[in-house]
Amino acid sequence: MQQPLILGIAGLGTVGAGLLHLLDHHKDRLEERAGRQIRVGGVSARTKAKDRGVALRDIPWFDDPVKLAADPSIAVFVELIGGSDGVAKAAVEAALRAGKHVVTANKALLAEHGAELAQLAEEHGVALNFEAAVAGGIPVIKTLRESLSANEVRRVYGILNGTCNYILTTMADEQRSFKDVLKEAQVRGYAEADPTFDIGGFDTAHKLAILTSLAFGTKIAFDQIHVEGIQTITEADIEAAEDMGYRIKLLGVATRAESGIEARVNPAMVPKHSAIAEVSGVTNAVAIDADYCGSLLLIGPGAGAHPTASAVASDILDIARGSLVPPLLTHARNLKPYKKAKLGAHQGAYYVRLAVYDRPGAMAAIAKRMGDQEVSIESIVQRRPRSALPGIGARVKPGAPAPVVMITHETTEEAIRKAVKAIEQDGKVSERPQVIRIEKLNEDARQ
Ligand SMILES: NC(=O)c1ccc[n+]([C@@H]2O[C@H](COP(=O)([O-])OP(=O)(O)OC[C@H]3O[C@@H](n4cnc5c(N)ncnc54)[C@H](OP(=O)(O)O)[C@@H]3O)[C@@H](O)[C@H]2O)c1
């Protein structure tokens, strides 16, 4: 039997405590599978006295995670603190420099500094494993880094943020407003007190930045991702989507395009009966289109103590068995610079919702602006939201703007943006038009 593998675990919150629980619960199973014992040789968190529901009495305590990271007694540093900089980054760097393997669940750290950390890990001949950083319990990092390593990936997209998916699903199922559902999500602990990071799409962008690098062999480029959040999605959009055969999901999408990589986070319309539309609540999903394998769809728990601990523990087990792969699939020195595709060249269909003044000629003027940009309309509906129908909600005042919803045929982003801007400038609408991309799914390609 080999020497035991000694872990130093920094961060004993949701994920850290979950990991300690798993390591204890599956102690014998892990030993059998690793061919050696896996032991915790040190832990660190902010408050020593806090009850974490796991036995810590016999484990050496470190006030400073950086000291734990470089301590000679440990072979693997497990970073479960979080944050792109500060102590998490300092500790991970210290561990790699000291020749320790690193396991982390920290997407922010990897999205901002992943390429440099991968380089450091390779220089020191150690592992940098991060299965839990994207989509929690879904094994998407290993899927891209190992199972699909002989493919050219054409596209990867998914539902990567449980908070946003919970909000959008609840808005649709219960016909409630964004504000109302967000408040409830905060009470239930699904959304942070400051939810900007989740609802603004930035958390999804962190995860997409990591997936994009693994998929396309490029440097991680979080700051190059086009990000739109879900704050602007209204009940009217959810209702119209439902009636027109769609559901709205916050997607992170990275596609290999002619002019470079198109990576974006945005609310998107997906066909109501597609598998991804049916991913509800806090569940995550990742779809991958690879040249030899074809298309895959992974669905599962994107967060939570147990699923995340499961992912972290599998990374530890890999190290215990001696598996060592380049952290970002391609050796860090061979990662290509990220070349951003022009979003204006994006081709697809669009949903457009306009609040049109009830005046003669308004619709003709709108049709002309669309025609000027060669945008052709697949369907157009003048509709009142259910909440505004007489007898249900507010009375509709004569002359009030009428909601008009259009679905376009495939066009370019540049054309639709120009047409909508011109409509706005003509003064025919009372508020900023809503434009939502209709996403072409890998599932469509199979039909
Ligand atoms: N929660 C999830 O479902 C989930 C899923 C996927 C990935 N992740 C990632 O996993 C990481 C941890 O998330 P979490 O939800 O477990 O966070 P959390 O519950 O807030 O736990 C953070 C832990 O870090 C400790 N900590 C904070 N600052 C520290 C410092 N300066 N020195 C030492 N320890 C410090 C805290 O100590 P105290 O307990 O003493 O305050 C706490 O134990 C993050 O990178 C997160 O993005 C989380």
Side-chain angles (χ1 to χ4, degrees):
M1 174 99 59
Q2 286 183 60
Q3 291 285 314
L5 184 76
I6 309 296
L7 314 176
I9 303 177
L12 302 173
T14 306
V15 184
L19 176 66
L20 285 168
H21 186 272
L22 186 153
L23 291 174
D24 183 50
H25 185 71
H26 281 321
K27 191 166 172 283
D28 296 340
R29 184 166 280 126
L30 292 174
E31 184 177 334
E32 201 177 286
R33 291 176 186 174
R36 61 200 288 199
Q37 280 184 355
I38 296 175
R39 284 200 214 139
V40 183
V43 290
S44 175
R46 244 178 332 211
T47 318
K48 189 173 179 187
K50 209 187 253 183
D51 177 12
R52 302 172 190 279
V54 282
L56 292 172
R57 220 173 315 122
D58 301 330
I59 306 174
W61 177 272
F62 289 72
D63 285 326
D64 182 1
V66 181
K67 287 226 170 84
L68 171 62
D71 195 86
S73 67
I74 68 152
V76 181
F77 179 64
V78 185
E79 185 277 306
L80 303 171
I81 297 171
S84 61
D85 291 278
V87 71
K89 178 167 178 266
V92 166
E93 286 174 347
L96 295 173
R97 289 210 169 92
K100 319 282 185 190
H101 302 289
V102 169
V103 175
T104 177
N106 190 339
K107 57 232 159 191
L109 174 70
L110 291 159
E112 301 276 0
H113 308 290
E116 303 95 88
L117 295 174
Q119 175 98 39
L120 202 55
E122 286 179 37
E123 280 167 16
H124 289 85
V126 290
L128 172 61
N129 289 348
F130 49 90
E131 185 57 71
V134 180
I138 302 178
V140 62
I141 302 298
K142 282 185 200 178
T143 300
L144 283 167
R145 193 163 76 172
E146 290 157 41
S147 315
L148 296 177
S149 59
N151 284 251
E152 179 179 89
V153 173
R154 294 180 284 226
R155 194 163 181 238
V156 55
Y157 62 84
I159 296 172
L160 302 171
N161 182 278
T163 307
C164 290
N165 204 45
Y166 171 80
I167 293 174
L168 292 172
T169 309
T170 310
M171 282 175 76
D173 291 349
E174 299 175 14
Q175 294 165 24
R176 287 164 59 197
S177 74
F178 172 76
K179 245 179 154 173
D180 187 25
V181 178
L182 172 61
K183 210 182 284 165
E184 183 193 290
Q186 285 170 317
V187 171
R188 296 180 70 170
Y190 293 157
E192 302 281 340
D194 177 1
T196 321
F197 203 69
D198 288 318
I199 63 172
F202 304 105
D203 175 73
T204 301
H206 272 159
K207 296 164 183 168
L208 185 67
I210 298 167
L211 294 182
T212 305
S213 172
L214 281 166
F216 305 127
T218 51
K219 294 203 165 131
I220 300 179
F222 166 65
D223 58 350
Q224 298 297 304
I225 296 178
H226 172 86
V227 184
E228 295 169 34
I230 62 167
Q231 310 92 314
T232 59
I233 301 298
T234 65
E235 288 162 276
D237 297 319
I238 300 265
E239 269 180 40
E242 202 74 26
D243 292 352
M244 295 170 117
Y246 294 98
R247 282 215 139 191
I248 302 176
K249 295 287 178 191
L250 183 76
L251 296 185
V253 185
T255 313
R256 202 187 280 276
E258 254 171 51
S259 60
I261 292 166
E262 183 185 304
R264 57 189 160 81
V265 173
N266 59 258
M269 296 271 179
V270 295
K272 200 155 74 182
H273 300 297
S274 58
I276 206 151
E278 285 170 18
V279 173
S280 60
V282 292
T283 306
N284 280 195
V286 187
I288 305 168
D289 182 25
D291 62 350
Y292 272 68
C293 178
S295 59
L296 296 181
L297 180 62
L298 309 172
I299 297 176
H306 284 192
T308 313
S310 146
V312 173
S314 81
D315 278 346
I316 294 170
L317 198 52
D318 284 347
I319 293 168
R321 288 161 163 166
S323 157
L324 186 65
V325 292
L328 293 170
L329 170 59
T330 304
H331 285 287
R333 63 177 179 281
N334 295 334
L335 288 171
K336 294 187 283 290
Y338 182 92
K339 188 163 172 258
K340 187 178 179 176
K342 290 191 182 77
L343 190 56
H346 169 83
Q347 293 200 332
Y350 289 82
Y351 158 100
V352 181
R353 178 175 54 77
L354 305 166
V356 183
Y357 286 120
D358 198 2
R359 290 176 195 148
M363 288 308 294
I366 288 167
K368 179 174 181 316
R369 290 302 191 184
M370 290 288 190
D372 288 349
Q373 298 301 326
E374 297 180 12
V375 175
S376 68
I377 309 294
E378 185 189 292
S379 66
I380 180 162
V381 183
Q382 185 171 348
R383 60 191 316 281
R384 298 266 171 216
R386 283 193 274 276
S387 54
L389 289 178
I392 296 178
R395 287 186 70 81
V396 180
K397 292 192 196 100
V404 171
V405 173
M406 288 180 239
I407 300 287
T408 74
H409 282 293
E410 195 158 304
T411 180
T412 64
E413 178 93 12
E414 191 179 8
I416 195 75
R417 295 287 167 193
K418 277 190 179 162
V420 165
K421 193 166 173 206
I423 291 167
E424 222 181 331
Q425 284 170 346
D426 286 345
K428 306 287 182 210
V429 292
S430 68
E431 59 185 59
R432 265 199 100 181
Q434 174 74 286
V435 179
I436 302 177
R437 298 177 187 89
I438 297 177
E439 202 63 51
K440 221 180 192 164
L441 303 178
N442 292 348
E443 298 171 53
D444 298 343
R446 279 205 298 260
Q447 285 158 10

